[in-house]
Amino acid sequence: MKVARFGLTLFGVNCYVVWDPSTKECAVIDPGIIEEKERSALKNFIAKNDLKVTNVINTHLHIDHCIGNDFVTKEFGVPSMAHKADAPLGKQIRQQAQMFGIPGEVNDVEVTTYLEEGDVIKIGNGALEVIHVPGHSPGGIVLYDRKDGFLISGDVLFQGSVGRSDLPGGNHQQLIEGIRNKLLTLPDNTDVFSGHGPATTIGEERLHNPFLQD
């Protein structure tokens, strides 16, 4: 499968479109979209590449990763998917928007399908495996394309860093153990597309990430 990244305004979040070139089916991952130009960029990309959106997937339900869920699900008539442990966060999006002073109408996130560890999300002939790595949020997940050798890590793993664990439901030890036991066991050349910042690889983070050194 192929991956396109959209850098968004809200907290510098990365939104991704993952698609199967043979069937043109795609998923939108972490749509933290709040501006009209961001909505237009996503719609134009999907139209230009003749893609068919099949679902919205959230790596977790902090506001910067899901404030655009309502737009994408209604625009393309598709369901949304996230881990059940983050459901309470999805019901606090309006509250989070008020706390951060985000203007305009903001709706809480309605999750259509709850994901669990080991679930496989089909995108055309491709597949994303769900890896549950709590610690940044209770329902934080990573989406792994085993065949094409990449993962969408949300706010679990970054270039040279890991997700913050001082938010409600966070747990630093749980996060680090999850990364070491579930992600660092993947091949070194696995590309890591993070929720913020540039891409990296598993091998790079195994060797140089200061949070993951013994």
Side-chain angles (χ1 to χ4, degrees):
M1 291 194 290
K2 293 187 176 181
V3 182
R5 182 184 72 87
F6 296 81
L8 304 178
T9 302
L10 191 61
F11 303 115
V13 71
N14 292 326
C15 168
Y16 295 96
V17 174
V18 176
W19 76 98
D20 172 16
S22 62
T23 67
K24 301 291 187 176
E25 291 187 359
C26 75
V28 178
I29 301 173
D30 287 349
I33 296 167
I34 60 170
E35 297 185 352
E36 183 56 39
K37 66 179 181 180
E38 296 171 348
R39 299 185 187 97
S40 295
L42 179 64
K43 290 192 294 184
N44 291 341
F45 178 86
I46 288 169
K48 179 180 179 181
N49 290 278
D50 193 28
L51 300 179
K52 177 184 178 181
V53 182
T54 56
N55 47 46
V56 175
I57 310 170
N58 295 108
T59 61
H60 61 296
L61 293 178
H62 288 151
I63 189 170
D64 53 331
H65 290 256
C66 65
I67 194 171
N69 270 43
D70 196 50
F71 158 69
V72 179
T73 56
K74 290 178 179 177
E75 177 71 23
F76 300 103
V78 296
S80 63
M81 312 176 84
H83 196 280
K84 188 173 185 177
D86 266 13
L89 292 174
K91 296 176 182 179
Q92 298 172 4
I93 300 304
R94 289 177 183 166
Q95 180 182 339
Q96 291 181 54
Q98 293 174 353
M99 182 174 65
F100 288 111
I102 298 171
E105 182 179 351
V106 176
N107 293 321
D108 290 340
V109 170
E110 295 292 336
V111 177
T112 308
T113 302
Y114 288 118
L115 299 169
E116 299 287 349
E117 170 84 19
D119 285 349
V120 176
I121 305 167
K122 297 291 292 184
I123 303 174
N125 296 317
L128 294 174
E129 301 174 23
V130 175
I131 303 173
H132 182 211
V133 186
H136 174 66
S137 75
I141 60 171
V142 170
L143 302 165
Y144 178 43
D145 184 332
R146 186 178 300 273
K147 178 180 177 182
D148 295 301
F150 70 82
L151 57 84
I152 310 293
S153 67
D155 284 2
V156 170
L157 179 63
F158 305 115
Q159 182 189 61
S161 190
V162 298
R164 57 186 296 183
S165 54
D166 59 340
L167 299 171
N171 185 310
H172 183 73
Q173 182 177 354
Q174 189 179 42
L175 178 66
I176 298 302
E177 288 178 354
I179 294 171
R180 286 175 172 164
N181 296 334
K182 296 183 177 182
L183 302 188
L184 297 190
T185 57
L186 300 176
D188 281 353
N189 62 352
T190 302
D191 290 312
V192 178
F193 299 113
S194 302
H196 303 267
T200 183
T201 66
I202 289 295
E204 181 71 15
E205 298 315 303
R206 180 185 289 110
L207 289 175
H208 301 297
N209 191 313
F211 293 91
L212 303 175
Q213 307 307 307
D214 293 329

